[in-house]
Amino acid sequence: MKKNILVTGASSGFGLLIANELQKKGYNVIGTSRNPEKYAGKLSFKMIALDLDSEQSINTFSERIFKEIGHLDILINNAGFLVSGIAEETPIELGRQQLETNFWGTIKVTNAVLPHFRKQKFGKIITVGSIIGLVSFPNAAYYAASKHALEGYFKSLRYELNEFNISVAMIEPAAFKTSILDNSSTSLKKIEDYNTLRNNIEKFSANLAEQAEDPIMVAEKVLKVVQTEKPKFRNIVGKGTSALINLQHFAYGILEKNVLKQLNKV
Ligand SMILES: NC(=O)c1ccc[n+]([C@@H]2O[C@H](COP(=O)([O-])OP(=O)(O)OC[C@H]3O[C@@H](n4cnc5c(N)ncnc54)[C@H](OP(=O)(O)O)[C@@H]3O)[C@@H](O)[C@H]2O)c1
């Protein structure tokens, strides 16, 4: 029997590439979008409606998904967006929105499929986090918070679901050329004290956008995780990321030694 795979946010960027790649490899893919009607007859896979910000949409989606496809083997939590901007300048409401979509929306969709996975004693949950969920960058504090939250949450879930033969993995991409920046939200409020930092960030971000890689790499990484029976939790993808992570571990080692030194003085 063909494996059924659900990909959230399959209308553009990573999601679209992941869905196409999996469909090409013989999986039966179901994608989601807030506006599936826009893609009717244009895609090689079926699209159904899902808005991570709407409780009603998630409930309708949960009722519909198993009626339509009978069973589900793999959930790929990919949908999400970016709130950029200096943290203090960002209205709390916008920050809350970031967590609502990227974190809570993802958790609600996961909860909708878990009873099914537990019953069949099989399933795989793959969530697109970010390298920013491992190392924070300036100008994206709420985005970083949402992706760090996903890392922590799914790390716990991995232990809890082990006995049901449900595997849990993260994909942590660096910077890739998708529509994420065009679809991002930012604050209009500007605090003068941050002007110098803002200028530096603009240069840094322009550089990062220029170096951003081909998103097909992410789809290929997801395919590998789909094909691996027991995938590892962290799956970093993109240029220079392992150096960043090593640096983080190295820096933490120094920090820890310093703290221990301070404690020993007391
Ligand atoms: N691009 C990068 O460099 C990068 C790096 C690390 C991680 N990521 C992560 O990769 C994932 C995909 O992003 P992308 O770069 O491919 O961006 P994208 O091209 O903007 O695609 C975002 C997708 O998410 C869906 N989506 C957005 N908000 C939604 C909501 N409230 N409810 C339901 N669906 C929603 C969109 O679908 P509709 O608009 O059709 O509903 C779209 O299909 C995100 O989780 C992002 O954080 C991206």
Side-chain angles (χ1 to χ4, degrees):
M1 192 165 42
K2 267 191 173 185
K3 276 198 171 142
N4 284 342
I5 305 186
L6 179 73
V7 182
T8 68
S11 64
S12 84
F14 294 156
L16 179 59
L17 290 168
I18 293 166
N20 279 334
E21 194 66 14
L22 293 172
Q23 187 78 16
K24 259 197 306 195
K25 289 285 184 288
Y27 296 99
N28 183 36
V29 175
I30 308 94
T32 78
S33 163
R34 284 166 292 184
N35 305 294
E37 63 289 346
K38 270 179 29 192
Y39 310 97
K42 294 181 187 157
L43 299 170
S44 62
F45 54 90
K46 192 182 168 106
M47 272 285 211
I48 64 171
L50 174 67
D51 181 348
L52 293 183
D53 302 336
S54 153
E55 206 80 45
Q56 198 191 334
S57 168
I58 296 176
N59 290 340
T60 310
F61 160 83
S62 318
E63 283 165 19
R64 201 179 146 193
I65 182 79
F66 294 109
K67 269 189 205 148
E68 296 221 355
I69 61 169
H71 82 284
L72 183 70
D73 298 283
I74 300 177
L75 164 67
I76 301 180
N77 286 315
N78 164 73
F81 84 115
L82 164 73
V83 168
S84 65
I86 304 279
E88 195 187 341
E89 294 175 347
T90 308
I92 289 294
E93 256 330 295
L94 188 53
R96 207 190 295 278
Q97 185 56 53
Q98 177 75 101
L99 272 290
E100 196 57 45
T101 308
N102 288 12
F103 181 68
W104 288 110
T106 302
I107 302 314
K108 288 174 195 167
V109 172
T110 304
N111 280 345
V113 308
L114 272 182
H116 177 85
F117 279 179
R118 271 191 290 107
K119 200 167 160 205
Q120 72 187 11
K121 293 225 175 302
F122 170 79
K124 195 178 271 184
I125 302 164
I126 303 171
T127 301
V128 181
S130 169
I131 195 72
I132 297 177
L134 301 172
V135 282
S136 281
F137 282 178
N139 213 42
Y142 288 103
Y143 181 75
S146 73
K147 296 295 185 178
H148 272 77
L150 287 174
E151 286 282 331
Y153 185 88
F154 282 106
K155 223 179 265 171
S156 289
L157 225 63
R158 188 166 155 102
Y159 297 117
E160 294 178 5
L161 299 179
N162 196 33
E163 68 171 285
F164 304 108
N165 192 28
I166 302 168
S167 47
V168 176
M170 298 294 296
I171 305 289
E172 291 107 346
F176 288 88
K177 287 188 171 67
T178 66
S179 308
I180 193 159
L181 293 178
D182 302 331
N183 296 332
S184 66
S185 300
T186 195
S187 158
L188 296 176
K189 180 177 152 190
K190 301 288 172 232
I191 300 171
E192 222 182 302
D193 281 351
Y194 290 111
N195 282 354
T196 309
L197 177 68
R198 199 189 331 281
N199 283 338
N200 291 340
I201 286 170
E202 271 167 23
K203 282 181 214 146
F204 174 79
S205 303
N207 201 18
L208 202 67
E210 212 178 283
Q211 286 172 17
E213 296 175 89
D214 185 341
I216 193 68
M217 283 171 69
V218 175
E220 284 162 359
K221 183 68 128 190
V222 170
L223 176 66
K224 270 199 191 132
V225 174
V226 163
Q227 290 171 332
T228 306
E229 205 189 319
K230 295 266 174 221
K232 56 185 170 68
F233 182 69
R234 271 188 177 183
N235 295 278
I236 296 163
V237 50
K239 240 183 344 212
T241 49
S242 50
L244 273 176
I245 298 299
N246 286 338
L247 201 63
Q248 186 198 35
H249 287 174
F250 179 70
Y252 183 73
I254 295 175
L255 184 78
E256 195 183 55
K257 263 190 203 148
N258 266 338
V259 173
L260 287 172
K261 226 193 226 166
Q262 294 294 323
L263 285 175
N264 286 339
K265 272 190 205 157
V266 185

